[in-house]
Every structure is written in structure tokens, then in C-alpha cells.
């Protein structure tokens, strides 16, 4: 039996944060909930004028059952955690554990799958506040986004940093499937480049513009809303093209190559198995592209991997 602070649901987050700051929460026990109240286990007894203290059975914290899961079991985008764990009990347990142990997480969602042209997540709230807009920082760039209205994956942060380091001053770049402009803003933060960032989702373009205003950028970004296959024909040839549409990039490859300057660079992303990536590299060679780099960005399933290919356009030499 242990003392718990009984707090209304609406006050719980703030009170937990405050108690944590004062080291009064017993992290070895779980925060418990019923329909109306949250019960916070106390490390030591204290007097509260605002809330009732009740003695009840404590439940050992599950946190220690998740040490291995914690890294890969969820994505953290600002103060929103998103998990793909399908078994309801494990998902809820992880969500409660995250809320208890990470005071900076305000909401935990279940990702039930990504669908449609805009690659939007179907999200179900597991714990915390029902809010989907957040601020997220990556490689020194500040983004504002709504995780239910735009596609965004923090798993590409390293890839975006690696690409941004390759850019030379004055490059003309086309970011064909830009989303909220994650590649474009990473690049514009560090280099004086001229970037056209295309996305067909108007919400992605709206958040891209908001994020542009939040950052001090060296480069110039031109946000363009529409279908890349049409919009790209209105643009001048580019020194570099980024193709981050991993399920469908192949469909747009010839179009992109047609817009790439001689010696221009393409950053191509696709989800493939080991055989598939070999075939794709063969195809790149047939198109007059020399593959400079192949990287495994992250695993996708037991057999599939998200690959990035960096290739240079030598088609004039064919
Ligand atoms: N590059 C972004 C990043 O790093 O966060 C995210 C890219 S996301 C995988 C793919 C994006 O392509 C989505 O935002 C979607 O709206 C957009 N999209 C899909 N088909 C498109 C098309 N034909 N033309 C332009 N954008 C498209």
C-alpha cells in the first residue's frame, strides 16, 4: 500500500510535471487512472491543500520491461510519441509508461497505417492530450507540423543532415516530394542554395511556409503546391534533385533525370529487398547515372529496407 495523490484528469499532466521537478513521484510505481481521476504514486508523504492523498495498492512500474523497446518502439516528434505496436495491451502499457517517465511527452498515438497520396497516418490516441500539432527540432532546424495532416518521419534526420552537408553554394535544387520541407529547410539552414520544394498536400506547403518563417535560412526556398510530375516541367534544369517518395519514386525517375543537369546529382529513396536494390542500380547505369553511394537508411520489414542511392548524371557520355 502506498500514498497516491488523487488529481482530476485535466490537472494531471501539470501536477505530475510539478511533482517530478520536486522529486516527489515514486518512479518505481505506475500512475493509475480511472474514468475521472489520476492517482500519482508518492515517493514520500507531503501535505497538499489542493488534492486528496489516498492510500492504495501500488502497481510496479512497467518501465523496466521496455528498456530494449524504448529506442525502436516509438517515434518522437516534438512532444508527440507515435508507436506501431499492434497488441493493444502492450501499446497501452508503453503509452502509460512513456507518459509517466517522459514529462515532455504530451500525447501518445497508435499509428494504424499510412495511406493515400499524402501519406497520412491513421492515428488513435493511446494516452495524454488529443492534440496533433507540435513543434519539432532537427539538426538545428525548427519545424511546426500536424502529425495527422502531413507526412513526417524523424527517422530520416541523419539522412537529411548528410545530404545537406553535400550541397555547394549556389546550387539549384528540386525537392520533388518535399512534405513540410524537411530536406529543403535542412539544406537552406546551412547553404546558400536555391531550392524548389514541391508537394501535392496543401497542408504540407502551409506548414513548410510556417517553418520557413521560424528559422534563419541562408538558402532560398520556393514552396510549390501540386503534382511534381506536372510542376517539374515548368522548372529549369537542376544541379540536384531529391526524390523522397519511397513507395513510388521509380514512377518519376525518367522525369527527374530529364530535369537533371549534366553532372547533376540525384538523391533517390526507395523501399526494396536486396535483389530489388541491385536491379535498381543496374537500371540507373542504363539511364547514364553513376551510383556514387548506396545507403541503408532504415529497416522497413524483415525483408525490405529503405535505401538511398546518390547518383551523378553522366548521360551525355553514353
Ligand atoms: N521528403 C519529406 C520529408 O523528408 O519529410 C517527406 C516526403 S513523404 C515520404 C512524400 C510526400 O510526397 C508527401 O508529403 C506527399 O504529400 C507528397 N506527394 C505524393 N505524391 C506526390 C506528387 N505526385 N507530387 C508531389 N508531391 C507528392
Amino acid at each position: 500500500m502506498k500514498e497516491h495523490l488523487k488529481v482530476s484528469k485535466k490537472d494531471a499532466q501539470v501536477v505530475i510535471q510539478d511533482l517530478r521537478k520536486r522529486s516527489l513521484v515514486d518512479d518505481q510505481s505506475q500512475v493509475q487512472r480511472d474514468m475521472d481521476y489520476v492517482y500519482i504514486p508518492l515517493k514520500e508523504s507531503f501535505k497538499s491543500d489542493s488534492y486528496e492523498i489516498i492510500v492504495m495498492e501500488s502497481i510496479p512500474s512497467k518501465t523496466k520491461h521496455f528498456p530494449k523497446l524504448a529506442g525502436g518502439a516509438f517515434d518522437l516528434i516534438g512532444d508527440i510519441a507515435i508507436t506501431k505496436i499492434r497488441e493493444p495491451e502492450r501499446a497501452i502499457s508503453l503509452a502509460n509508461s512513456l507518459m509517466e517517465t517522459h514529462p515532455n511527452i504530451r500525447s501518445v498515438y497508435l499509428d494504424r497505417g499510412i495511406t493515400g497520396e499524402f501519406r497520412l497516418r491513421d492515428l488513435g490516441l493511446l494516452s495524454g492530450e488529443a492534440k496533433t500539432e507540435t513543434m519539432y527540432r532537427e539538426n538545428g532546424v525548427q519545424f511546426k507540423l500536424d502529425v495527422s495532416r502531413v507526412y513526417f518521419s524523424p527517422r530520416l534526420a541523419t539522412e537529411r543532415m548528410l545530404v545537406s552537408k553535400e550541397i555547394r553554394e549556389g546550387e539549384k535544387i528540386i525537392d520533388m516530394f518535399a512534405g513540410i520541407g524537411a530536406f529543403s529547410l535542412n539544406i537552406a539552414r546551412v547553404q546558400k542554395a536555391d531550392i524548389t520544394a514541391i508537394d501535392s498536400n496543401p497542408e504540407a506547403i502551409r506548414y513548410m511556409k510556417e517553418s520557413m518563417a521560424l528559422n534563419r535560412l541562408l538558402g532560398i526556398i520556393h514552396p510549390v503546391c501540386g503534382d511534381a510530375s506536372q510542376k517539374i516541367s515548368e522548372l529549369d534544369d537542376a544541379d540536384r534533385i531529391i526524390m523522397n517518395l519511397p513507395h513510388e519514386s521509380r514512377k518519376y525517375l525518367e522525369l527527374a533525370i530529364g530535369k537533371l543537369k549534366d553532372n547533376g546529382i540525384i538523391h533517390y529513396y526507395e523501399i526494396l529487398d536486396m535483389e530489388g536494390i541491385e536491379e535498381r542500380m543496374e537500371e540507373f547505369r542504363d539511364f547514364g547515372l553513376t551510383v556514387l553511394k548506396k545507403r541503408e537508411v532504415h529497416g522497413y520489414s524483415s525483408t525490405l529496407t529503405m535505401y538511398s542511392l546518390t547518383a551523378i548524371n553522366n548521360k551525355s557520355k553514353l
Side-chain angles (χ1 to χ4, degrees):
M1 300 293 270
K2 183 173 258 311
E3 286 189 347
H4 289 68
L5 196 68
K6 183 179 172 186
V7 183
S8 67
K9 272 192 164 172
K10 72 173 175 37
D11 293 349
Q13 191 65 31
V14 173
V15 175
I16 291 175
Q17 279 179 19
D18 177 56
L19 292 179
R20 274 195 202 292
K21 273 189 211 142
R22 294 154 58 198
S23 299
L24 288 171
V25 180
D26 172 21
D27 286 323
Q28 305 301 312
S29 305
Q30 281 188 42
V31 174
Q32 300 181 56
R33 292 171 172 81
D34 62 21
M35 291 292 281
D36 304 308
Y37 292 99
V38 171
Y39 303 88
I40 308 164
L42 299 174
K43 205 187 256 174
E44 56 193 73
S45 196
F46 77 101
K47 260 186 145 19
S48 170
D49 297 332
S50 321
Y51 300 104
E52 193 184 342
I53 291 180
I54 60 166
V55 176
M56 58 191 273
E57 196 76 57
S58 64
I59 303 175
S61 170
K62 290 239 170 63
T63 315
K64 43 182 152 334
H65 300 304
F66 286 105
K68 287 222 175 70
L69 272 179
F74 64 95
D75 281 339
L76 191 57
I77 305 176
D79 56 7
I80 298 176
I82 301 176
T83 180
K84 287 186 178 163
I85 291 178
R86 283 302 167 109
E87 303 92 290
E89 269 183 27
R90 283 183 65 214
I92 289 168
S93 185
L94 172 69
N96 289 337
S97 161
L98 284 175
M99 292 295 292
E100 283 167 29
T101 54
H102 296 65
N104 48 336
I105 296 181
R106 302 264 296 275
S107 317
V108 185
Y109 283 95
L110 175 67
D111 179 347
R112 295 183 285 227
I114 294 182
T115 52
E117 176 190 334
F118 299 159
R119 313 298 301 144
L120 301 184
R121 294 175 200 262
D122 175 18
L123 296 173
L125 185 65
L126 288 169
S127 189
E129 273 177 53
K131 64 138 201 155
T132 46
E133 192 173 75
T134 190
M135 302 296 292
Y136 162 81
R137 204 171 176 83
E138 166 183 299
N139 304 325
V141 187
Q142 186 76 39
F143 292 94
K144 184 174 176 187
L145 71 147
D146 185 322
V147 293
S148 69
R149 298 162 82 104
V150 300
Y151 175 88
F152 183 78
S153 169
R155 295 186 183 198
L156 266 75
T158 304
E159 181 66 24
R160 291 188 277 256
M161 190 256 290
L162 292 172
V163 169
S164 65
K165 281 186 172 166
E166 288 187 25
I167 315 298
R168 289 176 301 258
E169 188 173 335
E171 280 192 15
K172 266 197 167 305
I173 301 171
I174 303 173
D175 186 359
M176 273 180 89
F177 311 102
I180 59 166
F183 276 95
S184 299
L185 273 112
N186 266 276
I187 293 169
R189 192 184 83 84
V190 296
Q191 192 51 275
K192 288 181 186 162
D194 183 289
I195 309 150
T196 302
I198 310 170
D199 203 281
S200 52
N201 179 355
E203 285 293 287
I205 296 293
R206 182 168 74 80
Y207 280 109
M208 186 192 304
K209 288 178 180 169
E210 285 206 40
S211 299
M212 285 164 61
L214 292 172
N215 293 278
R216 196 186 286 259
L217 302 174
L218 296 176
I220 297 168
I221 302 175
H222 311 280
V224 174
C225 189
D227 182 346
S229 62
Q230 285 160 20
K231 296 292 177 185
I232 201 169
S233 60
E234 298 162 16
L235 303 175
D236 293 338
D237 286 359
D239 297 296
R240 194 177 294 264
I241 298 183
I242 301 163
M243 298 184 70
N244 179 220
L245 188 61
H247 290 278
E248 284 181 81
S249 299
R250 175 61 192 87
K251 209 167 101 184
Y252 301 91
L253 185 57
E254 285 94 329
L255 208 64
I257 296 171
K259 270 289 156 191
L260 199 57
K261 286 184 189 171
D262 204 18
N263 291 321
I265 302 282
I266 201 155
H267 296 277
Y268 179 88
Y269 299 87
E270 193 174 354
I271 291 164
L272 291 164
D273 59 18
M274 277 161 71
E275 214 173 294
I277 189 67
E278 292 306 319
E279 281 170 19
R280 191 66 74 240
M281 290 200 298
E282 195 64 36
E283 211 174 2
F284 268 44
R285 283 173 214 123
D286 295 343
F287 281 132
L289 297 172
T290 303
V291 176
L292 303 173
K293 221 184 304 170
K294 176 184 91 172
R295 205 171 92 78
E296 293 183 13
V297 180
H298 60 72
Y300 186 75
S301 70
S302 56
T303 53
L304 298 174
T305 301
M306 152 98 100
Y307 288 99
S308 92
L309 294 178
T310 305
I312 186 164
N313 184 12
N314 299 133
K315 66 175 183 270
S316 63
K317 298 189 185 113
L318 275 184

